[in-house]
Amino acid sequence: MQIGVVFPQTEMPADPGAVRSYVDGVAEAGFAHILAYDHVVGADPSVHSPWRGPYDVNTPFLEPFVLYGFVAAISSLELATGIIILPQRQTVLAAKQAATLDVLCGGRFRLGVGIGWNAVEYEALGEDFHTRGRRLEEQVELMRRLWTEPSLSFPGRYHKVTGAGIKPLPIQRPIPVWMGARADRRGLERVGRMADGWIPLTEPGPELDAALAVIHKAAAGAGRDPASIGVEGRMAVTHGDPQRIQADADAWRQAGATHLSLNTMRGGLEGVEGHLSALQAAANVLDVRR
């Protein structure tokens, strides 16, 4: 099980020196990858009331493709998005951005995508919130072709490409596409049919096991090997309890996780050093350098 970290988007100073210090500290601790969340705009709770989302206009988010272009120049860590809200973005442009990033980081990129939940964000980006699931499937199909074919024509329902392509192509052809999905059957079946990996929003236990069963059944029905689909778990480590950290990691390993990201947000930590201190303590418990 590969162990990495969740980039603390909502608590990271908007400063390149802070990002560099964090990335350097993560690499020095022995972690293998960084996973970053995506939100382009936040809703203003004074306008959208009552607002119940976990993020709003006051929550900072560095744009993941731009962030990772910077990180690729200073680190050899694997880079993953967890997730990019793909249906609110232009598909061909996102494919180009992902391909460029894959080149710059030496083929160490996993593109995690999902449909999101924030209608305010979709409106601001000029995309249809209600067709996002159907469009995501066509987007992934088109992106994989763009990453592997120098020129193509694609007469899709939502996209039209006529005799065009991107260059340079990525190092990975195609780039691995992971999907974030809650425990709803439609999203889980999409993972099984299309994704290289799953980013669940639940913890190890009966709900996770049932979701994996749906994914594996859908994969087998699509002629795919269920064992080829990775699983990216996430767990909090800010509590600092070594026994709990080990137990949580063991639970993800036993559940079949291939990757695990340690989250330090929402734990009351102060500054980059606070996040790095919590990660170093967890790295020592889990012996991430093995």
Side-chain angles (χ1 to χ4, degrees):
M1 184 172 66
Q2 177 176 303
I3 301 178
V5 305
V6 176
F7 183 76
Q9 282 274 35
T10 62
E11 299 171 21
M12 176 62 62
D15 173 68
V19 175
R20 179 185 288 271
S21 294
Y22 178 83
V23 171
D24 288 346
V26 166
E28 290 169 6
F31 291 103
H33 67 269
I34 293 180
L35 180 142
Y37 300 170
D38 171 42
H39 279 289
V40 177
V41 298
D44 186 341
S46 69
V47 177
H48 303 277
S49 180
W51 180 252
R52 297 187 176 89
Y55 311 113
D56 61 28
V57 72
N58 300 303
T59 310
F61 276 90
L62 295 174
E63 199 287 317
F65 283 128
V66 178
L67 167 66
Y68 281 161
F70 176 79
V71 175
I74 63 174
S75 174
S76 60
L77 290 164
E78 182 187 51
L79 310 175
T81 55
I83 56 169
I84 289 286
I85 306 167
L86 192 59
Q88 67 186 22
R89 293 170 176 256
Q90 292 176 297
T91 306
V92 177
L93 176 58
K96 176 76 170 185
Q97 291 171 312
T100 300
L101 177 57
D102 195 62
V103 169
L104 294 178
C105 75
R108 299 185 310 276
F109 178 49
R110 284 184 288 128
L111 178 63
V113 301
I115 62 173
W117 52 268
N118 189 345
V120 174
E121 199 165 19
Y122 272 83
E123 178 187 60
L125 290 164
E127 296 293 346
D128 186 351
F129 181 76
H130 301 289
T131 63
R132 64 196 192 282
R134 294 190 297 274
R135 286 190 292 114
L136 176 68
E137 297 194 15
E138 187 171 292
Q139 285 182 295
V140 172
E141 179 186 357
L142 174 56
M143 291 175 84
R144 284 175 168 154
R145 289 192 59 188
L146 286 164
W147 293 330
T148 56
E149 301 177 31
S151 176
L152 63 100
S153 292
F154 188 93
R157 179 177 179 182
Y158 302 103
H159 303 82
K160 182 178 181 180
V161 178
T162 304
I166 62 174
K167 191 168 184 174
L169 294 175
I171 292 175
Q172 301 178 96
R173 300 182 188 177
I175 294 168
V177 175
W178 291 49
M179 290 185 179
R182 298 183 183 274
D184 69 280
R185 180 167 292 273
R186 185 182 304 176
L188 296 173
E189 289 178 344
R190 184 183 299 124
V191 173
R193 288 186 289 105
M194 301 188 69
D196 296 299
W198 177 41
I199 305 172
L201 298 177
T202 187
E203 297 178 352
E207 185 178 5
L208 183 77
D209 294 341
L212 279 170
V214 173
I215 290 171
H216 291 169
K217 182 178 179 181
R224 306 180 65 209
D225 178 7
S228 69
I229 300 174
V231 176
E232 171 95 43
R234 279 177 282 185
M235 57 179 256
V237 297
T238 54
H239 50 76
D241 182 343
Q243 292 183 330
R244 181 178 166 188
I245 289 172
Q246 187 65 66
D248 288 349
D250 289 344
W252 274 111
R253 186 177 288 107
Q254 292 164 10
T258 56
H259 298 68
L260 179 64
S261 293
L262 309 187
N263 187 11
T264 56
M265 288 184 283
R266 299 186 179 184
L269 302 178
E270 293 189 10
V272 172
E273 290 306 317
H275 288 275
L276 290 177
S277 179
L279 290 174
Q280 183 62 67
N284 293 339
V285 172
L286 301 176
D287 192 14
V288 299
R289 292 188 180 277
R290 284 186 298 177

